[in-house]
Amino acid sequence: MTVTSDIYEISNPKDIPSLRRALVNRLIYSIGKDPVETNERDWFFALAYVVRDLLTLRWMESMRRYYLQDAKRVYYLSMEFLIGRSLVNSLLNIGCYNEFKQVLEDVGLNLDELAEAEEEAALGNGGLGRLAACYLDSLATLQLPGFGYGIRYEFGMFSQSIEDGYQVEHPDNWLRYGNPWEFARPDVLYRVQFRGRVVEYRESDGEVRYRWIDTEDVMAMAYDIPVPGYGGETVNNLRLWAAKASRDFELKYFNEGNYIKAVEQKTRSENLSKVLYPDDTTQMGRQLRLKQEYFFVSASLQDILKTYSADHRGFAALPQEVAVQLNDTHPSIAIPELMRILMDEYRVPWHEAWNITVQTFSYTNHTLLPEALEVWSVRLFEELLPRHLHIIYEINYRFLKEVSERFPGDLDLIRRVSVVDEEHGSRLRMSHLAIIGSHKVNGVAELHSRLMKTTIFRDFDRIFPDRFVNITNGITPRRWLNQANRDLAALITESIGSGWVTDLERLRELAPLADDAAFRERFRAVKLANKTRLAALIDKRLAIRIDQTSLFDVQVKRIHEYKRQLLNVLHVITRYNRLRSGKSGDIVPRTVIFGGKAAPGYHAAKLIIKLINDVAKAIDRDPAVDGVLKVVFVPDYNVSRAMEIIPAVELSEQISTAGMEASGTGNMKMAVNGAITIGTLDGANIEIREHVGEENIFIFGHTAGQLEELRRDGYDPWRYYRSNDELKLALDMIATGYFSPDEPDRFKSLVDSLLRDGDKFAVLADYGSYVACQEEVDRLYRDPEAWTRKAILNVAHCGWFSSDRAVREYAERIWDIPTCR
Ligand SMILES: *Cc1c(COP(=O)(O)O)cnc(C)c1O
């Protein structure tokens, strides 16, 4: 039977009575609650089920369309999808927000309040995972057959509370009440093997082949989450895998009569998808992490090949039908895994399998930081994935052979590009594997891509001159402007029409309005309303009063030394000192807002959080700065917090050490919401400057090139300390316990990292120009018309940073897939 929309109770999603009936039906028949006895969560679930229903038919239609057109599909493999809440996003994307608002009002409920009952899907750490979520939105909006594959972590990113100024982590039990968006697929189940041994055998055709046997197996069970595009025409799928014990495992112990042991074993294997690793900038080499990576990659590839094989014979056409994007190296084990499946299970010869593999995969690099690059000990691989280790060795052998033929005698080159790093005790460099096994490798901003080609992957760029490309990151305008900033979205639509939602470069049409005093007035009113709303939330949740007319100066992102929250704090302390000593002139009142999580094992980052809170406290207690300076640390920064904060930002702090932030996407979200950036020439800040014009952004500090020179000539942080009295004072105050009288040495290690350990992130080198630049910020803010004009031009010229543009570039330059309507 074919599914048609007339079998469903909602014949027309704009028909309010049928929506109301569906909602009440869901409450009664799916939740099992009497409408007179419900709480907000019940209503949220009932509503989410109705919305999922509306998505489901469109989703089936999209899948049928892909099938009938034999469309080439792209699969986005990512360890992280930082989705956030889905209710309002889905309603806006399918165009039913107002209708549902009405339906809820009819039963005495408020849609936006109800939406708060949804748990965040925080299956990611930060930028990388949020990028994956933005790309899914754009794939569906652009009507591209794009599918996400990842892990259904039972516990996502920890939630953060601040206790006595310190970060405290709490487990994120987001599935506690169930996830209304997902469809569990107990019938979509794949076996994933671990450990065991490899046996060699000769087949009747004389070929030597390999069998991986005596393995310990875990099952991967699928959960599907529909991903609606804007306009609701296309609904794609995000498939997340959960670990389930394999029956073999249980049976073994059951047969021995050991029931308890059998159940224990079951829990052990199901631990695999239990928790997201909460650190995206250090590689820890933990066995469970490698198991997670292989687990979701193996299940995804089996699933991809099953879909492909349903109507294709052989694998020669795989690259014409399938593109697989590796989001960082985390899924790069897919390369030997596809080789293994093709060779061991389907008897495809090596050279054929290798061509298919390279043409199918492409890899996105997200960082140049050495401590974040993935390496795995050969020993661990041998234990967990012995067959893959063999295949990686063979890939490496053939690659190095080719290199030595092309560059004879260059033994050092061989040593540098080898997948196996012998200098640090036999480790596999996953980035090398990902580059060798992909037809395209992309960086995520112009500077990052250039540095990638000229520094860490320089040799590879010489070996594969056409392999490296740049695709600058983007953000989805649906969530980050249309949904998060309803008032600004309405003002924009009133001024230039609604086309910008799917064609963000049309924001350019706002540029002439920057010179229109009446428009500036309205734009300013929207920003003030957003600031007032944020101030009310901060008051409600933290009992902190902030002045909504002060300049909102915001740095929200993961806490990391390279992002330089410390530099921001040094400026705050300097401002505080100027105010105390009466040297401030007509300083602009500011509220400096911080937010972000530190990896639980990252001592310095956690101490920076404590420092921010201690500085905030000292400032709070000092009547001399009352009303002119305020510091707030907003706990538990996540997607929902970001959506509350970003529309209220006036000054966007993007102050990483040049060369270290691959792209950043927070910078884009804030600029398109009418914030002005203060930033270094790093990541996509450089491209933001190119788009908005250098007169509409505050740039300071050393460039990546200048820092390289500085370090080459021997960087001496003491020189800056001695020659700048304000810097010296601020550092001395931190070091001697001014902000921590109860424990004067508390922040000694932070100051030591700057003065005694070489200031790896060049905080001191950039302090002077940062503080001077902040004075420029004050100067501009004193002229509200001039400030607003620049803020409007930021909105008008940031349309290029839409993830639609980025995904279109991937589709054309890497995946070679057309839209499928
Ligand atoms: C966008 C986003 C990030 C990335 O921010 P950067 O400033 O680019 O580091 C991190 N976390 C959340 C919740 C986000 O929405």
Side-chain angles (χ1 to χ4, degrees):
M1 129 179 196
T2 48
V3 179
T4 52
S5 52
D6 61 343
I7 66 164
Y8 186 58
E9 62 187 304
I10 302 173
S11 51
N12 169 10
K14 300 263 171 193
D15 177 44
I16 298 203
S18 71
L19 293 181
R20 190 185 312 124
R21 205 162 44 244
L23 179 67
V24 175
N25 278 345
R26 283 313 200 179
L27 188 68
I28 298 171
Y29 300 113
S30 301
I31 316 290
K33 286 265 186 140
D34 185 328
V36 300
E37 251 191 303
T38 51
N39 58 35
E40 289 219 319
R41 189 166 46 245
D42 297 326
W43 280 113
F44 162 73
F45 271 86
L47 180 57
Y49 284 132
V50 177
V51 176
R52 189 183 68 170
D53 287 349
L54 292 173
L55 299 179
T56 303
L57 280 177
R58 298 157 199 247
W59 176 74
M60 287 177 182
E61 278 163 21
S62 301
M63 297 308 120
R64 207 174 312 139
R65 193 166 68 236
Y66 298 154
Y67 175 76
L68 291 173
Q69 300 187 14
D70 191 20
K72 180 171 181 180
R73 290 157 166 85
V74 58
Y75 299 101
Y76 199 83
L77 267 55
S78 180
M79 285 287 276
E80 305 192 4
F81 287 92
L82 184 47
I83 298 167
R85 292 180 176 141
S86 290
L87 178 65
V88 175
N89 181 256
S90 295
L91 287 173
L92 290 169
N93 274 15
I94 62 174
C96 298
Y97 177 84
N98 290 327
E99 289 72 14
F100 277 92
K101 197 169 178 58
Q102 182 63 56
V103 166
L104 288 167
E105 269 166 27
D106 293 349
V107 293
L109 291 164
N110 177 289
L111 174 54
D112 297 307
E113 281 171 24
L114 213 61
E116 305 270 312
E118 181 174 357
E119 296 276 345
E120 286 243 330
L123 308 183
N125 272 281
L128 175 147
R130 184 53 234 176
L131 186 77
C134 282
Y135 284 178
L136 290 185
D137 180 90
S138 285
L139 282 163
T141 299
L142 294 170
Q143 303 199 269
L144 292 165
F147 299 79
Y149 275 114
I151 297 175
R152 182 178 176 273
Y153 300 107
E154 219 173 299
F155 293 89
M157 188 60 201
F158 67 82
S159 74
Q160 175 198 57
S161 67
I162 301 296
E163 290 171 29
D164 187 29
Y166 288 102
Q167 164 174 300
V168 177
E169 302 95 21
H170 306 272
D172 166 42
N173 192 4
W174 71 296
L175 294 170
R176 183 172 37 215
Y177 302 107
N179 173 6
W181 304 111
E182 70 187 10
F183 287 103
R185 307 276 185 209
D187 53 331
V188 182
L189 199 65
Y190 295 98
R191 188 170 73 111
V192 177
Q193 300 171 271
F194 289 100
R195 303 180 188 275
R197 60 199 176 90
V198 179
V199 291
E200 197 183 291
Y201 66 101
R202 194 174 290 275
E203 233 164 353
S204 48
D205 61 3
E207 288 293 319
V208 172
R209 295 218 161 74
Y210 299 88
R211 235 194 308 265
W212 185 17
I213 58 165
D214 296 344
T215 51
E216 294 176 10
D217 301 344
V218 178
M219 306 306 290
M221 176 181 149
Y223 286 80
D224 287 341
I225 298 176
V227 181
Y230 188 80
E233 291 289 331
T234 292
V235 177
N236 283 336
N237 194 35
L238 168 61
R239 180 160 277 186
L240 301 179
W241 301 104
K244 300 278 163 191
S246 88
R247 291 293 304 281
D248 306 352
F249 232 128
E250 292 169 45
L251 283 175
K252 181 172 150 227
Y253 292 104
F254 274 123
N255 293 341
E256 289 169 11
N258 197 338
Y259 169 74
I260 294 295
K261 186 140 189 198
V263 176
E264 263 174 28
Q265 204 62 51
K266 182 175 157 66
T267 326
R268 273 251 290 278
S269 27
E270 292 178 359
N271 275 342
L272 212 154
S273 54
K274 188 71 74 183
V275 60
L276 166 79
Y277 276 88
D279 191 344
D280 53 355
T281 46
T282 42
Q283 143 75 10
M284 279 169 306
R286 300 285 289 270
Q287 186 183 110
L288 182 64
R289 168 75 174 194
L290 181 59
K291 285 178 97 171
Q292 288 184 336
E293 294 182 352
Y294 179 62
F295 165 77
F296 103 95
V297 159
S298 171
S300 305
L301 278 183
Q302 292 181 62
D303 201 38
I304 290 166
L305 293 181
K306 187 178 170 204
T307 305
Y308 167 85
S309 298
D311 46 9
H312 297 89
R313 226 179 285 174
F315 292 93
L318 191 72
Q320 281 78 61
E321 299 289 327
V322 167
V324 180
Q325 188 68 34
L326 307 174
N327 195 24
D328 212 313
T329 54
H330 315 144
S332 59
I333 187 71
I335 290 161
E337 173 69 352
L338 181 60
M339 289 296 287
R340 184 190 69 82
I341 297 173
L342 293 178
M343 293 188 307
D344 295 2
E345 295 181 12
Y346 294 96
R347 300 162 187 212
V348 179
W350 179 283
H351 70 274
E352 231 174 90
W354 183 244
N355 282 335
I356 292 168
T357 297
V358 173
Q359 290 316 308
T360 299
F361 289 112
S362 42
Y363 152 58
T364 305
N365 171 275
H366 285 273
T367 181
L368 309 174
L369 299 181
E371 66 269 27
L373 294 175
E374 249 192 323
V375 290
W376 290 106
S377 86
V378 164
R379 190 194 44 72
L380 181 59
F381 245 81
E382 189 146 39
E383 190 182 319
L384 280 185
L385 301 166
R387 178 63 182 129
H388 297 79
L389 181 63
H390 287 175
I391 293 171
I392 292 169
Y393 278 155
E394 181 72 20
I395 291 171
N396 195 39
Y397 170 78
R398 290 175 187 242
F399 168 67
L400 295 181
K401 187 156 163 271
E402 208 180 293
V403 172
S404 60
E405 280 160 16
R406 278 180 54 196
F407 305 92
D410 196 344
L411 287 180
D412 208 49
L413 176 69
I414 299 291
R415 185 186 55 74
R416 291 197 306 267
V417 299
S418 174
V419 174
V420 186
D421 175 7
E422 296 289 6
E423 273 150 74
H424 302 87
S426 266
R427 300 189 305 180
L428 302 179
R429 300 188 270 220
M430 302 310 275
S431 58
H432 293 198
L433 177 65
I435 295 167
I436 297 164
S438 298
H439 64 287
K440 285 283 184 271
V441 177
N442 77 287
V444 290
E446 288 288 351
L447 173 69
H448 168 238
S449 297
R450 183 162 57 76
L451 290 174
M452 204 171 77
K453 292 204 288 182
T454 54
T455 64
I456 58 170
F457 300 145
R458 201 182 140 164
D459 295 319
F460 287 103
D461 188 43
R462 196 151 67 102
I463 296 166
F464 305 119
D466 301 323
R467 195 156 291 193
F468 291 86
V469 296
N470 173 62
I471 297 186
T472 300
N473 282 169
I475 54 157
T476 171
R478 269 74 63 184
R479 181 176 289 269
W480 294 111
L481 184 52
N482 191 45
Q483 184 188 347
N485 201 340
R486 301 293 292 145
D487 291 350
L488 183 57
L491 176 61
I492 294 170
T493 295
E494 191 190 314
S495 310
I496 64 169
S498 60
W500 61 271
V501 181
T502 50
D503 183 4
L504 201 62
E505 301 215 38
R506 292 201 30 199
L507 291 179
R508 202 180 300 284
E509 295 163 29
L510 291 172
L513 294 171
D515 294 320
D516 175 338
F519 183 81
R520 284 200 303 268
E521 186 60 44
R522 296 187 64 192
F523 185 92
R524 205 159 37 237
V526 167
K527 187 59 88 180
L528 181 62
N530 292 337
K531 289 168 66 184
T532 305
R533 206 171 299 124
L534 178 60
L537 282 173
I538 288 174
D539 188 13
K540 186 175 102 188
R541 298 200 191 122
L542 310 174
I544 298 173
R545 289 281 172 84
I546 60 180
D547 170 9
Q548 72 259 34
T549 65
S550 63
L551 191 171
F552 279 22
D553 170 346
V554 179
Q555 187 173 23
V556 284
K557 48 181 77 243
R558 288 300 288 261
I559 311 291
H560 199 289
E561 287 163 287
Y562 86 80
K563 292 178 183 277
R564 298 200 296 191
Q565 281 89 359
L566 258 184
L567 179 59
N568 191 340
V569 173
L570 287 173
H571 165 248
V572 168
I573 294 171
T574 301
R575 197 165 262 268
Y576 174 53
N577 290 336
R578 286 183 185 182
L579 284 164
R580 285 193 306 152
S581 62
K583 279 188 302 196
S584 50
D586 54 346
I587 204 163
V588 168
R590 284 204 197 202
T591 302
V592 184
I593 298 174
F594 290 87
K597 293 172 185 172
Y602 189 172
H603 179 72
K606 294 178 106 169
L607 204 51
I608 290 169
I609 293 176
K610 175 61 173 165
L611 175 63
I612 294 168
N613 285 307
D614 280 356
V615 170
K617 191 158 72 179
I619 289 176
D620 248 355
R621 287 179 177 170
D622 192 335
V625 297
D626 191 33
V628 273
L629 186 59
K630 184 93 189 161
V631 175
V632 181
F633 189 96
V634 177
D636 202 29
Y637 183 61
N638 57 18
V639 173
S640 299
R641 288 299 89 72
M643 293 170 74
E644 294 161 357
I645 294 169
I646 289 170
V649 177
E650 294 180 288
L651 185 65
S652 162
E653 299 274 353
Q654 307 300 335
I655 59 177
S656 51
T657 313
M660 292 199 171
E661 186 77 89
S663 162
T665 48
N667 48 3
M668 303 169 188
K669 297 169 196 166
M670 292 185 190
V672 86
N673 277 280
I676 302 180
T677 304
I678 182 166
T680 45
L681 287 175
D682 198 15
N685 294 353
I686 296 173
E687 288 149 89
I688 291 176
R689 180 182 68 159
E690 280 162 17
H691 280 84
V692 305
E694 62 184 349
E695 65 286 7
N696 298 313
I697 188 169
F698 294 100
I699 295 294
F700 71 93
H702 291 76
T703 64
Q706 289 165 345
L707 283 179
E708 199 191 306
E709 234 171 86
L710 188 67
R711 289 185 187 118
R712 186 158 8 103
D713 301 345
Y715 170 47
D716 177 17
W718 286 104
R719 203 170 59 95
Y720 295 87
Y721 172 84
R722 289 192 201 101
S723 63
N724 188 322
D725 291 343
E726 288 189 302
L727 173 59
K728 180 173 183 304
L729 177 60
L731 286 170
D732 289 349
M733 285 166 77
I734 299 172
T736 58
Y738 182 91
F739 301 104
S740 53
D742 53 324
E743 189 189 344
D745 280 350
R746 179 175 295 146
F747 303 115
K748 191 169 173 301
S749 63
L750 289 181
V751 177
D752 281 350
S753 75
L754 300 178
L755 289 172
R756 293 177 203 284
D757 300 335
D759 186 14
K760 196 173 154 203
F761 303 97
V763 173
L764 271 49
D766 280 348
Y767 167 89
S769 74
Y770 180 55
V771 170
C773 196
Q774 290 284 15
E775 289 168 17
E776 294 295 318
V777 171
D778 275 29
R779 232 186 309 283
L780 181 65
Y781 200 77
R782 275 186 227 112
D783 181 349
E785 296 297 342
W787 180 282
T788 309
R789 195 177 165 278
K790 289 182 198 289
I792 294 168
L793 290 174
N794 268 265
V795 179
H797 292 131
C798 278
W800 187 80
F801 296 97
S802 169
S803 47
D804 297 344
R805 184 270 313 152
V807 164
R808 221 177 261 122
E809 285 191 44
Y810 279 97
E812 286 166 13
R813 298 167 54 199
I814 297 185
W815 305 328
D816 193 26
I817 50 169
T819 60
C820 182
R821 286 180 216 284

